[in-house]
Amino acid sequence: PRLLNLISLLKDASRQNEVNVWRDIASRLEAPARNYAEVNISKINRYASNGETIVVPGKVLGSGMLETSVRIAALNFSQSAETKIREAKGQCLTIEELLRDNPKGRGIRVLR
């Protein structure tokens, strides 16, 4: 139920704000569950800049080290990933929270 509501929210936000990033994330979440992204902290560390906002349409895993302070929105997080993000002075958000905070989708990078 949460996933269906999230996809509906993302599609509505895309239509209302004319922002394609939300439509892209919704389409990635509509794929079968086995195709959801699983992104390790090490990949986020490699591609993200300090202060950037990252969206993972799936789960963030705790393998690797995070040396930058980033905001990460995802469907869910492993316990070790949450710990490492907070230790790096970053923020863990749900995609719904990010949508509420940034409806225009500015400054967002999608990692898969």
Side-chain angles (χ1 to χ4, degrees):
R2 174 186 174 227
L3 187 58
L4 294 175
N5 289 337
L6 175 59
I7 291 169
S8 176
L9 277 172
L10 290 168
K11 287 181 177 181
D12 289 345
S14 177
R15 272 187 240 109
Q16 290 172 357
N17 299 310
E18 298 177 7
V19 180
N20 290 333
V21 71
W22 299 128
R23 186 177 308 121
D24 177 56
I25 293 168
S27 69
R28 291 174 193 252
L29 291 173
E30 283 181 319
R34 66 182 181 279
N35 291 332
Y36 288 165
E38 289 185 345
V39 176
N40 283 308
I41 292 289
S42 60
K43 184 173 185 177
I44 294 171
N45 191 59
R46 195 169 37 250
Y47 292 108
S49 303
N50 211 18
E52 195 169 17
T53 301
I54 304 294
V55 177
V56 176
K59 186 171 189 168
V60 178
L61 303 174
S63 180
M65 298 295 296
L66 184 63
E67 299 166 351
T68 58
S69 175
V70 291
R71 293 177 66 195
I72 303 171
L75 201 53
N76 53 28
F77 297 85
S78 71
Q79 186 66 40
S80 60
E82 279 190 51
T83 303
K84 289 179 181 183
I85 293 166
R86 290 200 171 98
E87 286 174 356
K89 306 285 189 265
Q91 231 180 341
C92 298
L93 305 167
T94 63
I95 296 173
E96 294 94 333
E97 290 172 331
L98 180 61
L99 179 60
R100 186 181 57 237
D101 294 347
N102 186 0
K104 295 289 184 186
R106 292 194 177 106
I108 292 175
R109 180 183 295 198
V110 180
L111 282 184
R112 184 160 162 71

